[in-house]
Amino acid sequence: MLIQDGRIEQIAAHGSLLVGDQHLTDLGDTVLLPGLVDTHVHVNEPGRTEWEGFATATRAAAAGGVTTVIDMPLNSVPPTTTVEGLDAKRKTAEGQAWVDLGFWGGAIPGNTGDLEPLHTAGVFGFKSFLAPSGVDEFPHVEQADLESALAEQARIGALAIIHAEDPAVLAAAPQQPGVHYRDFLASRPDDAETAAVARLLDTARRTGARVHILHVSSAAVLPLLRQAREDGVRVTAETCPHYLTLAAEEVPDGDTAFKCCPPIRDESNRDALWAALAAGEFIAVVSDHSPSTPDLKLLKEYGGSGDFAAAWGGIASLQLGLPAIWTEARRRGHTLSDVVRWMSSGPASLVGLTGTKGSIAVGNDADLVAFDPDGEFAVQAAALHHRNPVTPYAGRTLTGAVRTTWLRGRVVDVDGEPTGRQITRS
């Protein structure tokens, strides 16, 4: 492979000579993969940098083989719901990114008029919540708001990405605080996802909007998505490493590092998600990295109560997604080519980056990962690069180790200078 000006200039068969200056890198027994594209990351800066930040999140990304991150519009203050909010985020991120970095906008009640200016400014689409988001500055949309937002996004050709849980179903579910994971799981039932997805798909049919369902945890939504696609609705969906590698049966009571919304469900559901992934029903597997400080997670080892109902809901896993998925994928008979499709080329296609990211191809950015598929390591939360030492993978042995990450042809040194760039929707 010949790299020039940060892009792949030539690719030749093994042992062949390329035209141009030669600098050979021996990868040994490692496998060369395209850099991963993670389109679902909560960096939380500015405003909640104590939860995470651009420097820590992008270091973790690079260490995990992720070379492109698209940052979510909430948990930062201000949120990315206006051009001014986007400008504040871009200014804060300057000089702090170890990987390439793009931004989502947000569609909330009352900001329909802000969507076109944000789209023109280069955001990759607009996130909405159908149920409360957990932060006051990013309220969820009621049906009238959803209709307005999707109609506008259809008009301007923008992608709508949706957190799909139904607030009425959640309100009717049993709410039992405490340390028992089974009680938390009962409070976020499958019906909350299916009801929200059904309503969203009906609205998308009427407005013509292109919609993407975020972090599908319940396999019960899959028949709805299949029917909608048959009906011509432009809908895609993603799932996350924690839904594919963890299961409710193994979540210890009081271990709120496992809390996320929607929740980690049971083993049979996990198997159904894998079957759908193998069948091509998910366009992407992305982290939904949503960290917070240990006190907000109410972790017992930090003196917290371990109350699942009260703890912040979010999984910290940006650095671990590739080995976590590979560990389980290999066990189930999948290949690294499958993992690349789920975690690199698929997410790149979702956000329109196929011409520059997501594959090892002439003309693409030389974003590359040397990956040892047989390397094993025990996860130590304190050794991870994200800001707070909290992850449900702590203590687990994972297979697959990132040895080197290149961004546009240069080795990423997480202890050196950041070389990431801010990217926009083309």
Side-chain angles (χ1 to χ4, degrees):
M1 180 188 308
L2 179 65
I3 297 168
Q4 188 170 350
D5 298 327
R7 295 203 169 187
I8 300 171
E9 186 76 15
Q10 300 176 52
I11 299 174
H14 180 71
S16 301
L17 291 176
L18 293 166
V19 177
D21 295 335
Q22 304 292 314
H23 175 74
L24 301 179
T25 300
D26 184 358
L27 300 179
D29 294 329
T30 61
V31 178
L32 191 65
L33 306 178
L36 303 191
V37 177
D38 195 333
T39 56
H40 196 151
V41 178
H42 294 268
V43 176
N44 304 337
E45 190 177 21
R48 291 190 174 96
T49 309
E50 70 276 14
W51 294 16
E52 190 61 282
F54 290 107
T56 49
T58 59
R59 280 190 180 101
V66 176
T67 52
T68 303
V69 161
I70 312 296
D71 173 51
M72 283 291 164
L74 73 156
N75 299 348
S76 56
V77 182
T80 316
T81 53
T82 64
V83 170
E84 292 75 19
L86 175 63
D87 289 343
K89 183 162 285 195
R90 285 175 168 165
K91 183 176 180 180
T92 302
E94 286 178 4
Q96 289 205 79
W98 269 257
V99 301
D100 283 354
L101 181 66
F103 303 100
W104 294 107
I108 62 172
N111 86 322
T112 301
D114 292 298
L115 302 186
E116 185 171 16
L118 278 164
H119 187 64
T120 301
V123 299
F124 283 87
F126 297 94
K127 181 175 187 177
S128 295
F129 278 75
L130 302 188
S133 71
V135 292
D136 292 340
E137 65 274 3
F138 203 97
H140 71 286
V141 293
E142 303 287 356
Q143 184 59 31
D145 305 314
L146 180 64
E147 297 267 0
S148 175
L150 290 192
E152 176 66 358
Q153 288 172 77
R155 185 186 72 81
I156 64 177
L159 173 63
I161 63 172
I162 308 294
H163 179 123
E165 289 183 286
D166 187 271
V169 175
L170 294 177
Q175 304 295 322
Q176 180 64 48
V179 300
H180 299 302
Y181 186 73
R182 65 177 180 271
D183 292 332
F184 170 65
L185 187 59
S187 75
R188 317 286 298 208
D190 296 78
D191 288 352
E193 284 189 73
T194 56
V197 168
R199 179 161 61 93
L200 173 65
L201 293 174
D202 180 63
T203 310
R205 281 187 183 95
R206 287 184 282 102
T207 61
R210 178 186 168 211
V211 296
H212 176 72
I213 315 298
L214 298 167
H215 47 48
V216 170
S217 82
S218 173
V221 308
L222 296 170
L224 299 174
L225 297 176
R226 293 174 196 136
Q227 185 60 56
R229 292 184 186 114
E230 289 179 11
D231 294 344
V233 177
R234 295 186 297 161
V235 59
T236 53
E238 69 186 38
T239 191
C240 303
H242 41 280
Y243 301 131
L244 295 167
T245 64
L246 307 173
E249 292 87 342
E250 61 193 35
V251 177
D253 284 344
D255 193 346
T256 50
F258 287 82
K259 180 182 176 179
C260 56
C261 299
I264 296 163
R265 303 191 188 275
D266 63 25
E267 290 182 7
S268 62
N269 179 83
R270 180 177 63 182
D271 290 342
L273 293 179
W274 272 103
L277 183 63
E281 296 186 54
F282 291 111
I283 194 172
V285 175
V286 288
S287 68
D288 188 12
H289 179 70
S290 184
S292 69
T293 54
D295 60 308
L296 290 176
K297 291 297 281 185
L298 303 182
L299 291 161
K300 287 188 171 183
E301 59 264 44
Y302 288 91
S305 65
D307 183 344
F308 276 100
W312 174 259
I315 298 290
S317 64
L318 180 56
Q319 189 171 334
L320 299 172
L322 176 55
I325 286 294
W326 174 236
T327 299
E328 187 69 13
R330 185 162 74 166
R331 187 179 73 81
R332 292 173 179 265
H334 296 288
T335 66
L336 276 173
S337 294
D338 295 326
V339 174
V340 166
R341 186 171 67 254
W342 302 331
M343 304 187 78
S344 189
S345 59
S349 68
L350 173 69
V351 295
L353 291 175
T354 300
T356 55
K357 308 286 187 182
S359 64
I360 299 175
V362 171
N364 274 13
D365 291 346
D367 298 346
L368 305 166
V369 178
F371 183 69
D372 179 358
D374 299 315
E376 290 190 345
F377 66 100
V379 176
Q380 299 179 22
L384 300 175
H385 288 280
H386 65 249
R387 185 172 296 277
N388 292 292
V390 178
T391 180
Y393 293 98
R396 290 176 176 258
T397 297
L398 300 180
T399 302
V402 172
R403 301 303 186 196
T404 308
T405 300
W406 291 266
L407 181 67
R408 285 175 274 101
R410 294 188 175 185
V411 172
V412 179
D413 178 4
V414 296
D415 296 317
E417 292 297 315
T419 59
R421 296 175 181 172
Q422 294 186 27
I423 59 175
T424 61
R425 176 192 53 79
S426 59

